[in-house]
């Protein structure tokens, strides 16, 4: 039986922020300096892993020795400095969707593997203010795909697991939400549907998400 929705939990990158092509571009440029050629899909399918885990995973997959944690620090600095050169924008309809939900007194949470300082840098104040709870990498001991981030956000935002909805765009995030018992909708903003099958529903874009929410609320 489908219950009413009392809270909606949003991932940030690829859901609120149109940032994944820029993340991919920055990683591709940095890895090229280490002799590893990547395509955007190599980044998109690892979205949600910690930076260090994904770097180790990429070197291992390409049979290149991981250069160690000191060098990882430099890799991450280079990536951040390329990524932060330009601001990233919101997806179309994001503000309309958030306002639509707030008008219906739905609790809203942001659930991201990014650091809090990156979130505060990336999101405009009026968008931050829409969220009743913001769960970042700084707020959990285990990140996505562990259920902890979504379970924490649900506890802070309120509402039972069967009255909540998560919106994700990547396999690790979907696994985290589903592991916390929350119904998950995936947006195919970075990955095609074949990567998003653990979600209960895959929508193509924010227009389809708005229509879905208007139907349910
Ligand atoms: Mg995402």
């Amino acid at each position: 039986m489908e219950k009413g929705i009392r809270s909606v939990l949003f991932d940030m990158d690829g859901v609120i922020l149109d940032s994944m092509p820029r993340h991919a571009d920055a990683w591709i440029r940095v890895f090229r300096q280490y002799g590893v050629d990547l395509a955007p899909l190599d980044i998109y399918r690892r979205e949600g892993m910690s930076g260090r885990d994904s770097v180790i995973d990429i070197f291992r997959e390409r049979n290149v020795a991981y250069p160690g944690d000191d060098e990882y620090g430099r890799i991450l600095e280079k990536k951040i400095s390329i990524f932060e050169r330009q601001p990233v924008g919101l997806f179309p309809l994001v503000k309309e969707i958030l306002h639509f939900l707030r008008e219906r007194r739905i609790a809203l949470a942001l659930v991201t593997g990014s650091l809090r300082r990156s979130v505060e840098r990336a999101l405009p104040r009026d968008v931050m203010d829409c969220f009743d709870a913001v769960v970042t990498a700084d707020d959990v001991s285990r990140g996505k795909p562990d259920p902890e981030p979504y379970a924490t956000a649900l506890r802070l935002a309120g509402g039972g697991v069967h009255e909540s909805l998560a919106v994700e765009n990547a396999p690790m995030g979907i696994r985290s939400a589903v592991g916390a018992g929350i119904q998950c909708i995936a947006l195919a903003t970075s990955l095609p549907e074949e990567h998003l099958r653990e979600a209960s529903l895959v929508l193509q874009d924010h227009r389809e998400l708005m229509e879905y929410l208007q139907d349910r609320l």
Side-chain angles (χ1 to χ4, degrees), residues 9 28 34 56 85 131-132 175 184 187 190 206 211:
L9 318 179
I28 287 167
Y34 294 82
I56 290 173
R85 267 176 219 164
F131 294 106
D132 302 285
R175 211 163 295 152
C184 187
L187 297 182
S190 58
H206 292 73
E211 287 166 4

Side-chain angles (χ1 to χ4, degrees), residues 2 10 28 52 61 65 75 106 140 160 190 198-199 210 217:
E2 202 155 79
F10 290 91
I28 287 167
R52 182 174 173 277
E61 186 182 84
I75 291 171
I106 307 295
V140 296
S190 58
E198 289 177 48
M210 183 59 138
L217 291 165

Side-chain angles (χ1 to χ4, degrees), residues 12-22 88-92 189:
M12 184 175 76
D13 289 295
V15 170
I16 298 291
L17 283 180
D18 187 6
S19 51
M20 287 312 297
R22 294 270 314 286
V88 290
L90 302 173
F91 278 104
T189 54

Side-chain angles (χ1 to χ4, degrees), residues 11-15 20 47 144 168-170:
D11 172 44
M12 184 175 76
D13 289 295
V15 170
M20 287 312 297
E47 190 197 336
K144 302 172 187 179
E168 266 288 346
N169 71 308

